[in-house]
Amino acid sequence: MQDKIPYYLLVTLLIAVGFGSAIYRHINLDIPWLPGETREVWRVEARLEFTADGDAIVAQMAIPETHPGFTLLEQATASPGYGLSYLTEEKRPAVRWSTQQASGKQVLYYRAQFLLDDKQDAGWPPPPDVSEPPILPDPIRLAAGRLIDQAQQQSANQITMAAQLINGLRSDDQQVQLLKQDRSLAAAALLLMQLAEIPAREVTAIRLKHNRRNQDSLPYLMVYAEDQVAFFNLTNGKEGRPERLLIWEMEDQPLIDLEGGHNTRVSFSMLREVVPVQTALEQKYRDVSAMQVSLHSLPQEEQQMFRGLLLIPVGVMVVMIIRVLVGLRTSGTFMPVLIALALMQTSLGAGLAGFVLVVVTGLVVRGYLSRLNLLLVARISAVIIVVILLTATFSVIAYNLRIVEGLNIIFFPMIIIAWTIERMSLLWEEEGGEEVMKQGGGSLFVALLAYLVMSNGYIQHLTFNFPGLQLVLLALILILGSYTGYRLIELVRFSPFTSSSQEPPK
């Protein structure tokens, strides 16, 4: 029993590490369990228009960053004749255009691509410091004090108090009108937050709607209360952040700073794209080390190659189950897996027909070569050459008969086919044609089962996106390797003995 302890520990470790890595990739990298999932990617374009005065121009526009709900994938600008620089290390991320001289109407573009990402864990900026309130005339100070006192009586915390203050600003009361005199609604709301010592900042946001053009930005108030953040639409006073509300600027700064021009206007256009989740995740984790060491960092050609290679353990598992538990004999140990891989490159019917045709013809040729008493190496080499010539011949015939699927016979591994022909020929000589039919038919049956499993979209998704599951397959193969019980075929074979032993003696 103690000799088995390292074996049990190894199997347990393999299963734990395999499932653990898969769960990690699902939770932390947002890789889905099921294939076919999609993500929304939004292409947003900001159009900056202004009239240049004929002198040097310096235009600076705030740009968004990754924040909860959205991941910035890429950004670009279109600004012919202007110098360009990104101020991404500043407290206020921005793009800056500059030119020595410009006159008349100018149009600059900034484009960004965002992933709608509910798993994005980037935090909001810390709350601003509450500064000393300005010195206000007595009527305005009294009006603000009455609003704050009334809001305190009707609220339970800073967020509910901020909601009451914003709702109060939307009334037609004379004191409220006095407070909003010469002030925008946003400025009045910020003043009340400052007087009430509530951390808040004005942010600029845009509401994403598919295929919209010339959309204006929306002013929002961002209110902090300990570890909570609340948003208030200053246009209609509603609280909450819609799912597709993109926060463009969140540092209490103007959206545009312009030197050398006037009549500025910023409008937004947006377009939604639905992309496969794999494409979105590859862009999202382009610079993340967890993905850089994964298969997704490889070029597409190599990725396609590994998609096929990672399916081989699945086919091996099918062969193990059929041979160990069922007891079906095959020609070669893992020949069915190679046949299944070749069938995945061809259509099922044409692939099976081509394989049978080449093997049967090769057996006829091998039967003739056996009469020449050649050495094994020479015999195998001759069979390989014959298989290649047969494949080329059948491909040409299929092409001239307009059977396009027949061309895919070249995907079958020539060496393996030649070795299969040699094994079947020796088996025919030693045990007869019946055994050849049993093992050949068993190989094709197992290959068909492996093909059906390996071509399943769910299996392909799991093997490529969660390579740690290969360790689970390894653990299962180790478990099957220690099985010493009856096979299903043996139970059927020995069933007459069971029934005869239960008959009463005469």
Side-chain angles (χ1 to χ4, degrees):
M1 177 63 184
Q2 291 188 0
D3 294 339
K4 287 286 187 178
I5 291 180
Y7 165 75
Y8 294 138
L9 291 177
L10 176 61
V11 170
T12 304
L13 179 63
L14 290 174
I15 294 176
V17 173
F19 280 120
S21 66
I23 294 172
Y24 169 83
R25 290 175 66 82
H26 173 68
I27 295 177
N28 292 277
L29 300 181
D30 196 24
I31 298 177
W33 294 118
L34 299 175
E37 292 192 22
T38 59
R39 294 288 187 271
E40 286 187 18
V41 174
W42 288 87
R43 298 183 182 274
V44 184
E45 179 182 86
R47 174 187 170 100
L48 171 59
E49 301 178 60
F50 62 91
T51 302
D53 297 333
D55 299 324
I57 296 292
V58 177
Q60 184 169 306
M61 182 177 70
I63 58 176
E65 290 186 306
T66 294
H67 59 270
F70 288 93
T71 298
L72 176 63
L73 299 180
E74 59 183 30
Q75 56 186 352
T77 61
S79 51
Y82 280 80
L84 173 69
S85 59
Y86 288 98
L87 308 178
T88 54
E89 299 297 328
E90 303 288 335
K91 181 180 179 181
R92 177 199 179 198
V95 58
R96 182 173 62 197
W97 294 278
S98 60
T99 186
Q100 187 174 9
Q101 185 178 11
S103 60
K105 183 179 179 180
Q106 305 291 308
V107 180
L108 304 175
Y109 293 94
Y110 168 81
R111 300 184 181 95
Q113 188 174 354
F114 294 91
L115 171 66
L116 185 65
D117 189 3
D118 57 355
K119 297 293 183 68
Q120 179 53 248
D121 56 357
W124 298 109
D129 297 330
V130 180
S131 58
E132 290 292 329
I135 300 176
L136 301 172
D138 289 341
I140 298 178
R141 180 172 54 81
L142 292 174
R146 290 192 185 96
L147 279 176
I148 293 174
D149 292 340
Q150 182 180 359
Q152 284 179 335
Q153 296 175 2
Q154 300 174 347
S155 60
N157 52 43
Q158 289 181 318
I159 291 179
T160 57
M161 184 174 178
Q164 295 298 322
L165 290 174
I166 293 175
N167 289 334
L169 283 175
R170 300 185 61 81
S171 67
D172 296 330
D173 186 85
Q174 184 176 1
Q175 292 180 341
V176 174
Q177 298 301 322
L178 179 64
L179 182 63
K180 294 196 300 183
Q181 185 179 8
D182 299 330
R183 289 184 180 89
S184 64
L185 181 60
L190 284 173
L191 176 60
L192 285 177
M193 301 301 155
Q194 190 176 12
L195 293 172
E197 298 183 352
I198 299 176
R201 56 161 46 100
E202 182 184 3
V203 299
T204 302
I206 57 174
R207 187 75 178 268
L208 297 180
K209 297 181 180 180
H210 177 55
N211 203 22
R212 294 297 182 93
R213 297 181 179 276
N214 296 323
Q215 299 292 299
D216 294 325
S217 59
L218 300 173
Y220 269 74
L221 190 68
M222 187 176 179
V223 178
Y224 294 84
E226 296 180 355
D227 58 344
Q228 294 182 331
V229 174
F231 290 86
F232 295 89
N233 189 335
L234 295 178
T235 303
N236 54 27
K238 293 182 178 180
E239 179 183 355
R241 180 182 171 225
E243 182 184 16
R244 291 170 178 78
L245 185 73
L246 176 65
I247 308 300
W248 195 270
E249 195 280 326
M250 59 180 80
E251 291 293 341
D252 272 334
Q253 298 293 332
L255 183 61
I256 295 295
D257 286 334
L258 179 64
E259 298 178 10
H262 59 282
N263 294 335
T264 61
R265 181 179 183 268
V266 179
S267 60
F268 299 90
S269 301
M270 57 211 68
L271 181 67
R272 181 188 63 196
E273 294 182 351
V274 179
V275 302
V277 64
Q278 198 61 56
T279 302
L281 294 180
E282 287 178 3
Q283 291 180 303
K284 176 181 177 180
Y285 295 111
R286 185 181 303 161
D287 299 325
V288 177
S289 58
M291 290 291 283
Q292 288 177 347
V293 297
S294 73
L295 297 174
H296 298 85
S297 62
L298 297 175
Q300 287 296 326
E301 184 176 352
E302 280 71 16
Q303 287 189 34
Q304 291 300 324
M305 178 185 68
F306 276 102
R307 286 181 189 274
L309 290 178
L310 291 174
L311 289 172
I312 293 179
V314 177
V316 168
M317 189 69 193
V318 173
V319 175
M320 287 284 294
I321 292 174
I322 298 298
R323 294 198 57 164
V324 175
L325 298 183
V326 179
L328 189 65
R329 284 179 291 182
T330 61
S331 177
T333 307
F334 298 116
M335 177 63 187
V337 180
L338 299 174
I339 298 175
L341 280 175
L343 291 177
M344 293 179 64
Q345 305 295 330
T346 66
S347 61
L348 181 60
L352 286 175
F355 177 78
V356 172
L357 189 61
V358 172
V359 171
V360 170
T361 308
L363 283 174
V364 174
V365 176
R366 169 61 178 79
Y368 170 74
L369 292 176
S370 63
R371 301 177 183 177
L372 302 179
N373 296 324
L374 299 176
L375 296 175
L376 176 63
V377 176
R379 194 165 59 235
I380 293 292
S381 301
V383 171
I384 290 175
I385 295 174
V386 170
V387 167
I388 293 175
L389 292 176
L390 288 174
T391 302
T393 302
F394 292 148
S395 297
V396 172
I397 295 174
Y399 176 77
N400 286 278
L401 294 177
R402 301 297 187 266
I403 305 175
V404 180
E405 292 82 0
L407 297 176
N408 293 330
I409 196 175
I410 61 175
F411 288 108
F412 283 102
M414 303 302 170
I415 306 298
I416 300 301
I417 291 180
W419 187 252
T420 300
I421 294 172
E422 177 67 19
R423 285 178 57 87
M424 286 187 175
S425 179
L426 292 176
L427 189 63
W428 191 302
E429 295 174 356
E430 295 173 358
E431 301 188 27
E434 182 180 354
E435 187 65 22
V436 171
M437 296 301 296
K438 287 182 179 180
Q439 293 193 16
S443 296
L444 290 180
F445 176 74
V446 176
L448 180 60
L449 288 181
Y451 164 79
L452 294 176
V453 175
M454 295 164 65
S455 61
N456 182 272
Y458 181 64
I459 298 297
Q460 293 179 355
H461 173 80
L462 288 179
T463 54
F464 183 75
N465 292 284
F466 301 98
L469 294 178
Q470 303 287 335
L471 298 178
V472 178
L473 289 176
L474 176 58
L476 295 177
I477 289 175
L478 292 178
I479 294 174
L480 284 176
S482 62
Y483 178 76
T484 57
Y486 285 106
R487 296 171 174 83
L488 293 179
I489 289 182
E490 292 174 345
L491 293 177
V492 176
R493 178 184 174 188
F494 296 132
S495 59
F497 294 96
T498 305
S499 60
S500 61
S501 63
Q502 294 177 353
E503 294 180 358
K506 295 181 180 179

